[in-house]
Amino acid sequence: MKKLLIASTALVATSGFAYADVTLGGSAQFGIIYIEDRADPSAPAEGPGSDDTEELFLDYELQFDFSASGETDGGLGFGMSAELESDSDAEGNQNAQGIDPEIFITSGFGTLTVGALDTAPDQAGFGNTRDPGYDGVGVDNLIDAILFLDAEALFNADEGGRSNIMYQGSFGGLSLTATAHAHEQDFGIVAEYDFGAFRAGLSYMEVDEVEIGGDLGGGDTIGVTVGGTFAGFDLDFVYADHSNDFDVDAEAYGLSGAYDLGAYGITFGVNQVEIGDVDGTTYGIGVEYDLGGGAELQAGVASLWDPEDDDNFTTASFGIAMSF
């Protein structure tokens, strides 16, 4: 990442001056993705050609990250960040996405952030549910949707958990993340403790209003994770249990890990998921090769469970990821 120190045009803060550290960074990636029996996005809805497939397609994405930080005369840190993103859609067209603004203040007691935020387990990376392969082949999609209370992904709801204020703090081996929405009753909290060779965590997420088929209802998710390093493998086990007012409960167990071989790395994940009265297993493996300078080759293959069809399908990916 490249930094630009603004000294001659210092920002005015209270009665003194603050010097802002402005950072511009980003990432980019492109590759090939395979999804078994993927419907051709350009096929007509019905009639001749409506059953056409396009299993292999090109994927690309780029993102610019902007951040600026400073410090008051009294030692209070402050700053902001934003993202600009553009990627390809299902038909290969380019999509530009808006800015995700965040503003924060930080001190010895922790950091308070407001802006466009994910739910607490997502912000904390709770469970470390790894997704192998280029751009992730989707091994963690369902278990993350349960952990992060993404009702849109789980139940085709109009929205899931939302957050626009967050607190994060570290106290010895204990780290805390709490999020809430200032205008809705959505909130979440994550507590994790690092014992050295082992780590453990607990999460809770609750949403007040989710709309499914015109009906409103709430839901909550409890998550538990345990991890550590064993014989060179960095492993994490996670459990998630979700219940809601629609009587469509969900439960998941997941194990994921990574093994470092120098320039090479191996990542794997396996999840057992139950949604309502159907259940299935998702699993996959990936390999990465560090080219140096911020570039990495990534490849992966997985068997993903589709709860709507109650069946598995194969997906694979290969590409290059770059960070700046």
Side-chain angles (χ1 to χ4, degrees), residues 240-259:
D241 182 77
H242 169 77
S243 60
N244 58 48
D245 296 336
F246 303 100
D247 295 325
V248 185
D249 298 341
E251 191 175 28
Y253 304 84
L255 177 67
S256 63
Y259 191 75

Side-chain angles (χ1 to χ4, degrees), residues 83-288:
E83 298 176 357
L84 285 174
E85 184 177 334
S86 179
D87 59 11
S88 57
D89 62 15
E91 298 183 21
N93 302 315
Q94 182 175 340
N95 291 328
Q97 301 185 21
I99 296 174
D100 291 328
E102 295 182 12
I103 305 168
F104 68 87
I105 55 173
T106 185
S107 68
F109 297 100
T111 301
L112 181 68
T113 305
V114 297
L117 301 168
D118 296 317
T119 59
D122 199 357
Q123 290 285 165
F126 183 79
N128 200 16
T129 51
R130 299 172 179 86
D131 193 8
Y134 163 79
D135 198 36
V137 287
V139 172
D140 63 342
N141 286 357
L142 288 176
I143 193 168
D144 279 355
I146 297 172
L147 276 173
F148 306 158
L149 225 167
D150 185 352
E152 180 180 3
L154 280 174
F155 313 117
N156 296 317
D158 284 356
E159 66 177 53
R162 302 174 63 191
S163 306
N164 60 15
I165 185 168
M166 174 176 65
Y167 167 79
Q168 289 183 305
S170 297
F171 309 93
L174 176 67
S175 61
L176 298 174
T177 300
T179 60
H181 195 283
H183 306 291
E184 300 179 14
Q185 297 182 28
D186 297 359
F187 70 92
I189 186 167
V190 171
E192 297 176 288
Y193 198 90
D194 188 348
F195 295 91
F198 298 91
R199 52 186 177 268
L202 181 67
S203 72
Y204 179 77
M205 263 301 304
E206 181 173 310
V207 299
D208 182 55
E209 291 188 355
V210 172
E211 182 175 347
I212 301 179
D215 297 326
L216 291 176
D220 60 75
T221 293
I222 296 174
V224 178
T225 183
V226 178
T229 302
F230 311 91
F233 282 94
D234 190 51
L235 300 174
D236 285 276
F237 170 81
V238 63
Y239 168 76
D241 182 77
H242 169 77
S243 60
N244 58 48
D245 296 336
F246 303 100
D247 295 325
V248 185
D249 298 341
E251 191 175 28
Y253 304 84
L255 177 67
S256 63
Y259 191 75
D260 187 1
L261 295 168
Y264 292 92
I266 299 173
T267 306
F268 70 90
V270 56
N271 302 316
Q272 174 70 26
V273 181
E274 179 179 342
I275 300 177
D277 57 358
V278 296
D279 64 89
T281 303
T282 288
Y283 52 91
I285 189 168
V287 61
E288 300 89 34

